[in-house]
Amino acid sequence: MRQRMTVGVGVLALVALVFALNFYKLPVVALSPGPMEDVLVRIKVQGTRVYDSKGKLYLTSVGVDDNVRFYEALLDLANRDVQLLPRTQVFPEDDSTDEIDKENVALMDLSKETAKVVALRELGYDIEPSGVEVTQIVSGAPADGKLETGDRIVEVDDRAVTSTDQVRKAITGHRVGERVAFRVTRGKASKEVSVQVQAADNQPRVGVVLRDLFPDLPVKVTIETENIGGPSAGLMFALSIIDRLTSEDLTGGRRIAGTGEITLDGSVLPVGGVAEKLIAVRRRGVTTFLIPADNCGDVRGRVPDGLRLVKVSSLEEALRFLRQPAATATAPGC
């Protein structure tokens, strides 16, 4: 009887352990191939003529599971299409899932705005920033507790500023230990804030992330997307806007996918989850993918057969490739 009871207790303990493991959340994130969307059909324009294209320009995305349980992780490890990464490698350590979702929505909105400005500048419109907004404060930095997210910087050291470049030049003009005088608009109030400069990455810094604000654009462009966040569609947004606003068909009848964050100077920055995006692209039968040059190292040995990668570091390089279809075979790849 005693032996039976011992075995019974052991079985119950094992069942309890298995049950508990099923609810144990691991400190990892699972990345998987996400949906693709033809951006051209998502571009809506008012006030000027638009043009149709014979081909398609796809944005790509990554499925992100931030709630990986023990047994789900075992299945993910057996799936070659899924990549498990430490959560701290993907997201800030202290951010909750809700905070991350909000940040990704904000990054997507900023990506759309930046793409519009870059595309319209490429088409000859003169567009200059009209203000500077604080979008993030680095925890523990000199600006922490002094400046706030949403502050609009109107003066630095008693000089009016209207662009992030002007603010950065004013800050880097100081020596470490000196103080920068900001005048900001916070809500309806005007405040003066003094922040000490410290060294970060061998540069004078105060610990803020800034964004340029722009007046109403000369062409009203809307980009309609659903359930996609982050900045990685910026390149494809900019290319699609240019394609819709010019008679030249950049697609040349081709189906082209891509990824990359776009900056106001037209640079294309690396993004995450590119290997998973390549899987989704090849499954859709697309054979050409525009990839940020700095992402090439992330996909070595993981490029699906039959998929041609074209590395770009700027909008100009992407446009050069699209405008010269014959250049596909000789375009620089990874």
Side-chain angles (χ1 to χ4, degrees), residues 35 37 42 108 112 223-229:
E37 293 185 9
R42 299 284 183 173
M108 171 59 84
K112 291 178 180 179
I223 308 173
E224 300 176 349
T225 56
E226 296 180 1
N227 301 321
I228 297 177

Side-chain angles (χ1 to χ4, degrees), residues 191-326:
K191 295 183 175 294
E192 294 185 357
V193 180
S194 177
V195 182
Q196 189 175 44
V197 175
Q198 71 175 15
D201 299 326
N202 296 318
Q203 292 289 328
R205 297 280 191 267
V206 298
V208 293
V209 179
L210 307 173
R211 64 173 289 190
D212 285 304
L213 301 175
F214 290 92
D216 290 340
L217 298 178
V219 178
K220 185 175 181 179
V221 179
T222 303
I223 308 173
E224 300 176 349
T225 56
E226 296 180 1
N227 301 321
I228 297 177
S232 67
L235 171 63
M236 302 312 289
F237 287 156
L239 292 173
S240 297
I241 294 169
I242 294 170
D243 196 42
R244 291 286 279 160
L245 293 178
T246 56
S247 59
E248 178 186 18
D249 184 354
L250 293 177
T251 71
R254 296 166 293 176
R255 299 167 64 215
I256 297 172
T259 193
E261 179 180 353
I262 196 81
T263 65
L264 286 170
D265 66 359
S267 298
V268 177
L269 304 184
V271 295
V274 178
E276 286 70 35
K277 294 176 181 180
L278 298 185
I279 295 170
V281 168
R282 197 65 193 97
R283 284 176 178 171
R284 291 283 293 271
V286 176
T287 58
T288 305
F289 186 88
L290 301 177
I291 182 173
D294 288 340
N295 274 130
C296 281
D298 301 327
V299 298
R300 288 197 177 96
R302 304 185 66 184
V303 182
D305 292 340
L307 182 60
R308 167 68 168 160
L309 302 189
V310 177
K311 66 177 181 180
V312 296
S313 57
S314 68
L315 177 69
E316 289 301 322
E317 289 181 2
L319 287 170
R320 191 180 308 125
F321 164 74
L322 292 177
R323 286 169 172 157
Q324 300 174 8

Side-chain angles (χ1 to χ4, degrees), residues 83-295:
Q83 181 180 193
L84 290 177
L85 294 175
R87 190 180 190 276
T88 53
Q89 187 175 325
V90 181
F91 301 127
E93 186 173 0
D94 297 328
D95 282 10
S96 67
T97 300
D98 287 342
E99 289 172 329
I100 292 167
D101 288 343
K102 290 179 181 178
E103 290 170 6
N104 279 330
V105 170
L107 287 171
M108 171 59 84
D109 290 341
L110 179 58
S111 176
K112 291 178 180 179
E113 180 183 78
T114 303
K116 294 174 189 177
V117 172
V118 171
L120 292 177
R121 283 175 172 174
E122 176 66 25
L123 295 176
Y125 292 94
D126 184 15
I127 303 172
E128 296 297 332
S130 58
V132 182
E133 182 181 70
V134 177
T135 61
Q136 184 180 339
I137 307 293
V138 178
S139 178
D144 193 4
K146 299 182 181 298
L147 294 172
E148 295 182 4
T149 300
D151 282 352
R152 179 165 178 170
I153 300 176
V154 293
E155 288 184 2
V156 181
D157 296 330
D158 296 323
R159 292 186 178 181
V161 292
T162 57
S163 72
T164 56
D165 281 344
Q166 291 174 334
V167 176
R168 290 191 184 101
K169 287 179 181 178
I171 294 172
T172 56
H174 284 269
R175 296 179 180 178
V176 173
E178 294 180 344
R179 304 189 74 84
V180 183
F182 295 95
R183 186 162 71 85
V184 303
T185 300
R186 185 176 299 168
K188 296 182 179 180
S190 178
K191 295 183 175 294
E192 294 185 357
V193 180
S194 177
V195 182
Q196 189 175 44
V197 175
Q198 71 175 15
D201 299 326
N202 296 318
Q203 292 289 328
R205 297 280 191 267
V206 298
V208 293
V209 179
L210 307 173
R211 64 173 289 190
D212 285 304
L213 301 175
F214 290 92
D216 290 340
L217 298 178
V219 178
K220 185 175 181 179
V221 179
T222 303
I223 308 173
E224 300 176 349
T225 56
E226 296 180 1
N227 301 321
I228 297 177
S232 67
L235 171 63
M236 302 312 289
F237 287 156
L239 292 173
S240 297
I241 294 169
I242 294 170
D243 196 42
R244 291 286 279 160
L245 293 178
T246 56
S247 59
E248 178 186 18
D249 184 354
L250 293 177
T251 71
R254 296 166 293 176
R255 299 167 64 215
I256 297 172
T259 193
E261 179 180 353
I262 196 81
T263 65
L264 286 170
D265 66 359
S267 298
V268 177
L269 304 184
V271 295
V274 178
E276 286 70 35
K277 294 176 181 180
L278 298 185
I279 295 170
V281 168
R282 197 65 193 97
R283 284 176 178 171
R284 291 283 293 271
V286 176
T287 58
T288 305
F289 186 88
L290 301 177
I291 182 173
D294 288 340
N295 274 130

Side-chain angles (χ1 to χ4, degrees), residues 60-72:
T60 52
S61 64
V62 180
V64 181
D65 184 359
D66 188 27
N67 189 27
V68 181
R69 306 296 170 165
F70 180 79
Y71 290 108
E72 292 174 334

